[in-house]
Amino acid sequence: MSGSVVDNNTVSSGNSSVAFPTDISGPILDLDEDDDLEVFSKDTTLTDGSSFNASMQTSPASMINQYKFEEEEEVDTKDIFVIVDNPESHVTAIETYITYRVVTKTTRSEFDSSEFEVRRRYQDFLWLKGRLEEAHPTLIVHPLPEKFVVKGMVERFSEDFIETRRRALHRFLNKIAEHPIFSSSEDFKIFLTAASGELTAHKKQGPGFLSRMGETVKAVAASVRGVRNRPQEFTDMQEYVEAFSQKISSLDKVTQRISREQKEYLEELKECGPTYALWSQSEEELAEPLKNVAGCVDRCCKETEEQVKHLNDHLIPVLHEYVLCADTLKAVLRRRDNIQADFEAKTEALATKKADRDSDSKVLSLAWDSLVGRSPEEVKQQKQQKLKGEIKEMRDDLDKSEDRLEWANNALKSDWTRWQKVMRNDLRSAFIDTAERNVSYYEKCLAVWESFLHSQKTDADENGKADFS
């Protein structure tokens, strides 16, 4: 058996546990939203075009509960469930690294068992992403969190860092599991099931360094040549991605700045409560109101702390994830262009070869051949035969390139539609979740201060009656 089999239906994740459904042919498991490594990696048409109507009900519950996604009406057929949890630190003589437990439950017949448990490190996830991109250059592979940068070395193994990366890796694998093509990949299956030694051996079976270097050189050459007749639909995609990238990047930066400012505000707010409490000790007449204000500030501090945490755990990761998605899309479009550029180059080469065959200039070379004892007719036939063979070989190669280009175009068009649907659902869900949290936050803070005003009004009325009597 490759990979260890899980004997129970509950997997620990941090301080909480996540339960797999007993029957995974039923409703989809509601997995948590995942972040990216350093806080998750353009167009105004990000939403479905619906607009806000002032006549709509303004009750938070009514607005949010009314909102239904089209996707909710679809029948779910997910048959692979993956959880990434339980990070462990490993220290060797040359490096320190983190591994994560990857637990899989599936009903697919191609798997030897229905449950697997393996441990993987970040480099393994990176290998899987690379293999999927290599096998399907114009399909959209969900982004991984960025690799760690030197400037954050001090925080590399902090709990927050590890948890953020765990969530991002969890989300990455579940996006792969939900993909109609990637989820059936042999590399994905091996990643989920193989023991560490088996995975290492499988990774060595990939193309060697020289082969990868050759492909890189070809890609660079194709990009330098560029494409002459890119179909309009892919030009439209490119323009959309550029606009999307600008907008999502700006929103990501602004949201992160808001988060930093809210953290600063929270730190200052935490100093207010004790100040009011201390002041109440020296103001006998204001002692009770000051204590009440201190209590209100403390309660608002707790709500603000939850608000900041929610922003950093839910909205920012999704936004940054789609910043990375925009980079992925640009790379996919470049690879498609390279495939077309290669096809165009081979088309030109074949046309040149045919022109050489038909050119009268070839006859001029026969003079030299006749001097060495060979008849011009014999030389001509040999050259024509050689050119015929070369042309046939080039035509066969061109046919393969044409088939590859057609597959690449069709794959990208299909996956583009799928990605847009997923993207809009993810962003819409994140925005609604944030709106719901904001409404709850402000309602709670409002209730805190209204209770203070009510208490002060009651005290004033009682004092007024006492003065009157």
Side-chain angles (χ1 to χ4, degrees):
M1 176 74 68
S2 59
S4 55
V5 177
V6 183
D7 295 326
N8 53 51
N9 290 332
T10 303
V11 178
S12 171
S13 178
N15 297 326
S16 60
S17 61
V18 182
F20 282 117
T22 304
D23 177 13
I24 63 175
S25 63
I28 184 172
L29 179 65
D30 186 18
L31 298 175
D32 60 332
E33 285 284 331
D34 296 301
D35 306 347
D36 195 348
L37 175 52
E38 297 168 0
V39 292
F40 257 118
S41 222
K42 302 171 174 164
D43 194 314
T44 56
T45 59
L46 295 182
T47 65
D48 61 355
S50 59
S51 59
F52 176 79
N53 188 330
S55 64
M56 293 172 60
Q57 300 180 45
T58 55
S59 165
S62 66
M63 287 195 295
I64 294 168
N65 293 335
Q66 279 178 353
Y67 206 102
K68 301 296 181 182
F69 296 145
E70 294 177 1
E71 288 76 6
E72 293 177 354
E73 299 175 0
E74 296 181 358
V75 178
D76 176 52
T77 58
K78 185 175 180 181
D79 52 8
I80 296 182
F81 297 89
V82 186
I83 284 183
V84 179
D85 70 351
N86 192 21
E88 290 182 358
S89 177
H90 301 263
V91 180
T92 68
I94 59 175
E95 65 175 338
T96 299
Y97 61 93
I98 306 295
T99 64
Y100 302 85
R101 180 170 64 173
V102 178
V103 181
T104 306
K105 189 169 183 179
T106 180
T107 56
R108 291 195 177 183
S109 59
E110 60 263 33
F111 286 81
D112 296 334
S113 178
S114 61
E115 301 177 34
F116 298 90
E117 178 182 319
V118 295
R119 295 204 71 85
R120 298 288 182 254
R121 58 186 296 184
Y122 179 81
Q123 291 180 357
D124 299 327
F125 288 83
L126 202 60
W127 167 83
L128 174 61
K129 181 175 182 290
R131 288 302 293 265
L132 294 176
E133 289 177 338
E134 179 184 334
H136 308 281
T138 57
L139 292 182
I140 304 167
V141 183
H142 195 74
L144 279 170
E146 300 109 323
K147 292 189 70 174
F148 181 73
V149 290
V150 176
K151 65 180 182 181
M153 185 66 74
V154 177
E155 303 175 1
R156 180 175 182 181
F157 298 110
S158 68
E159 290 185 6
D160 289 343
F161 176 92
I162 294 172
E163 175 60 16
T164 300
R165 171 167 278 189
R166 181 200 68 78
R167 290 184 177 184
L169 297 177
H170 171 92
R171 185 170 177 83
F172 168 77
L173 287 187
N174 277 274
K175 289 292 187 181
I176 299 302
E178 294 165 3
H179 195 282
I181 296 178
F182 294 149
S183 63
S184 299
S185 163
E186 183 65 18
D187 291 314
F188 183 50
K189 176 186 173 184
I190 290 172
F191 179 91
L192 296 177
T193 63
S196 297
E198 295 177 42
L199 180 63
T200 301
H202 184 74
K203 289 164 73 172
K204 292 180 180 179
Q205 296 175 7
F209 173 77
L210 292 179
S211 176
R212 295 196 302 271
M213 181 62 71
E215 290 299 320
T216 300
V217 171
K218 289 181 181 179
V220 171
S223 63
V224 170
R225 286 194 302 267
V227 291
R228 297 182 179 178
N229 300 300
R230 182 193 293 118
Q232 184 60 40
E233 56 192 319
F234 298 114
T235 299
D236 293 341
M237 283 185 191
Q238 192 171 47
E239 292 174 354
Y240 176 94
V241 171
E242 289 296 334
F244 176 82
S245 178
Q246 293 174 9
K247 291 179 174 61
I248 201 71
S249 296
S250 297
L251 190 57
D252 177 48
K253 292 176 182 177
V254 170
T255 307
Q256 291 191 48
R257 186 166 67 247
I258 290 173
S259 175
R260 290 193 298 269
E261 292 174 355
Q262 285 187 341
K263 289 178 181 178
E264 294 173 359
Y265 165 73
L266 177 61
E267 292 305 312
E268 294 180 359
L269 195 62
K270 287 180 178 179
E271 298 177 4
C272 288
T275 301
Y276 281 112
L278 184 63
W279 187 11
S280 67
Q281 297 176 9
S282 59
E283 288 283 353
E284 183 175 350
E285 295 296 326
L286 288 175
E288 196 61 30
L290 288 171
K291 289 179 181 178
N292 289 340
V293 170
C296 290
V297 171
D298 289 340
R299 289 162 64 187
C300 287
C301 271
K302 293 178 182 178
E303 294 301 329
T304 303
E305 195 165 11
E306 287 297 316
Q307 175 76 350
V308 172
K309 184 178 185 303
H310 185 275
L311 184 67
N312 284 276
D313 288 351
H314 296 276
L315 181 59
I316 287 179
V318 174
L319 293 177
H320 193 68
E321 169 187 330
Y322 278 99
V323 170
L324 300 180
C325 275
D327 293 335
T328 297
L329 289 169
K330 292 176 184 178
V332 168
L333 288 168
R334 283 196 300 269
R335 290 196 289 267
R336 194 221 68 85
D337 281 355
N338 290 343
I339 293 172
Q340 181 175 336
D342 180 65
F343 170 73
E344 291 176 348
K346 290 178 179 178
T347 301
E348 292 177 1
L350 178 59
T352 301
K353 184 65 69 174
K354 287 181 177 180
D356 290 343
R357 180 191 61 184
D358 301 332
S359 174
D360 292 336
S361 62
K362 289 291 182 181
V363 180
L364 298 176
S365 65
L366 299 179
W368 171 257
D369 294 317
S370 63
L371 295 176
V372 294
R374 300 169 63 190
S375 68
E377 188 63 29
E378 180 185 357
V379 172
K380 180 179 180 180
Q381 288 179 357
Q382 288 179 349
K383 289 192 172 183
Q384 289 292 328
Q385 194 67 28
K386 180 181 178 181
L387 283 171
K388 184 178 180 180
E390 291 176 349
I391 289 173
K392 182 179 184 304
E393 184 178 338
M394 293 177 69
R395 184 181 290 113
D396 291 342
D397 190 28
L398 181 62
D399 289 341
K400 292 179 181 178
S401 295
E402 185 176 18
D403 290 342
R404 186 180 182 220
L405 177 59
E406 183 179 1
W407 182 92
N409 288 344
N410 291 336
L412 178 53
K413 286 188 286 188
S414 176
D415 215 32
W416 173 260
T417 302
R418 181 202 62 82
W419 177 83
Q420 282 193 312
K421 181 178 180 180
V422 172
M423 175 270 292
R424 286 166 177 156
N425 186 52
D426 285 348
L427 292 178
R428 186 184 295 122
S429 179
F431 295 153
I432 290 176
D433 187 40
T434 300
E436 184 175 15
R437 176 60 200 172
N438 285 341
V439 169
S440 175
Y441 167 70
Y442 289 114
E443 281 185 337
K444 289 178 179 179
C445 290
L446 179 63
V448 167
W449 291 110
E450 283 182 337
S451 66
F452 170 76
L453 292 176
H454 180 72
S455 66
Q456 295 307 297
K457 182 179 179 181
T458 302
D459 291 344
D461 290 343
E462 292 178 353
N463 291 334
K465 292 178 180 179
D467 294 340
F468 181 75
S469 60

